[in-house]
Amino acid sequence: MWQVLTGRKDGRVSFASEAETDLPSSDANFTTLLSQFTSRGLDIIDLVTLSGAHTIGTGHCFMIANRIYNFTGNGDADPSLNPDYAKTLRTLCPISPNLTFTAEMDPQSSLSFDSHYFEALNQNKGFFQSDAALLTDTRSVQIVRILQVPSIFFARFGESMNRMGTIGVLTGGDGEIRKNCRVVNV
Ligand code: HEM
């Protein structure tokens, strides 16, 4: 648990195209990820810590199909992937998967919010290339190691979530307090 600032308003418009351009993509490399975070006032510690949100939830198989079946165009897996994990992923995500197929992002621990994501990452079991990318920079490698300690991850995660909550806050006459959080007020 962590304390949050209250009073953040919702917008009155949303564009799918903005999500396409603003959200980091699953095959982003470290440089791209870091610049996307820093351009919004977040730093390298926030990037690594918030990636730890992938301790819960699933990712769609089609997004990693190239990574596990045809990384360089020669029918190979991403060499940065733990070979046993690559094998497991090929079982969970058969070739040409149905678009609805998903797999856990944090292997065998995707229902619990813990620091296991960082332990898995350290064993080269990052689900997306964007997860694995956190091992390609010497500074983020150190941060990944430190965040394996649950108490440190939990404390840092709250701080970084708050920092993320300060991005693009609507002030003055912009935005509104919704009556129903899923739709703009009519
Ligand atoms: C660092 C850059 C990030 C990238 C490239 C990224 C990418 C992705 C992708 C591709 C998925 C799977 C979507 C799907 O297959 O439907 C996903 C899922 C998810 N992401 Fe991220 N993400 C990032 C950061 C974050 C952050 C900052 C958070 C929250 C603090 C977060 C929380 C989640 C959660 C909870 C899911 C699982 C959703 C579900 O199970 O339905 N991610 N992410």
Side-chain angles (χ1 to χ4, degrees):
M1 245 194 274
W2 60 91
Q3 296 243 308
V4 294
L5 291 172
T6 55
R8 194 184 153 124
K9 291 185 289 182
D10 284 298
R12 287 197 46 81
V13 287
S14 82
F15 299 106
S17 57
E18 280 187 1
E20 290 291 334
T21 50
D22 289 357
L23 281 177
S25 75
S26 62
D27 60 0
N29 64 25
F30 182 81
T31 312
T32 304
L33 290 171
L34 186 58
S35 74
Q36 283 184 287
F37 273 65
T38 51
S39 70
R40 282 161 185 78
L42 301 177
D43 64 18
I44 186 169
I45 300 178
D46 298 314
L47 165 63
V48 182
T49 308
L50 290 170
S51 295
H54 290 179
T55 177
I56 49 170
T58 55
H60 280 81
C61 286
F62 71 83
M63 291 187 174
I64 58 157
N66 273 349
R67 185 158 195 242
I68 56 177
Y69 287 112
N70 201 14
F71 192 66
T72 62
N74 293 321
D76 55 346
D78 180 346
S80 76
L81 205 50
N82 176 310
D84 290 333
Y85 182 53
K87 214 166 143 191
T88 307
L89 286 177
R90 284 193 292 268
T91 312
L92 296 170
C93 295
I95 201 157
S96 305
N98 180 309
L99 286 182
T100 62
F101 276 32
T102 56
E104 296 183 295
M105 292 191 288
D106 182 7
Q108 293 165 350
S109 174
S110 70
L111 294 178
S112 55
F113 189 89
D114 54 24
S115 52
H116 186 263
Y117 165 86
F118 294 105
E119 285 174 44
L121 194 55
N122 253 328
Q123 297 162 20
N124 298 314
K125 296 179 181 171
F127 187 77
F128 290 119
Q129 269 168 267
S130 62
D131 297 306
L134 303 177
L135 296 181
T136 63
D137 176 272
T138 48
R139 295 160 300 169
S140 66
V141 164
Q142 296 304 319
I143 303 168
V144 167
R145 295 235 164 91
I146 294 167
L147 293 173
Q148 285 182 110
V149 179
S151 56
I152 300 180
F153 171 54
F154 295 148
R156 265 312 313 198
F157 191 78
E159 279 177 49
S160 290
M161 284 295 284
N162 275 342
R163 284 163 64 92
M164 190 166 65
T166 63
I167 300 171
V169 171
L170 299 171
T171 55
D174 294 336
E176 65 184 14
I177 299 167
R178 289 186 183 167
K179 296 194 173 83
N180 172 350
C181 65
R182 292 190 290 139
V183 286
V184 295
N185 296 337
V186 282

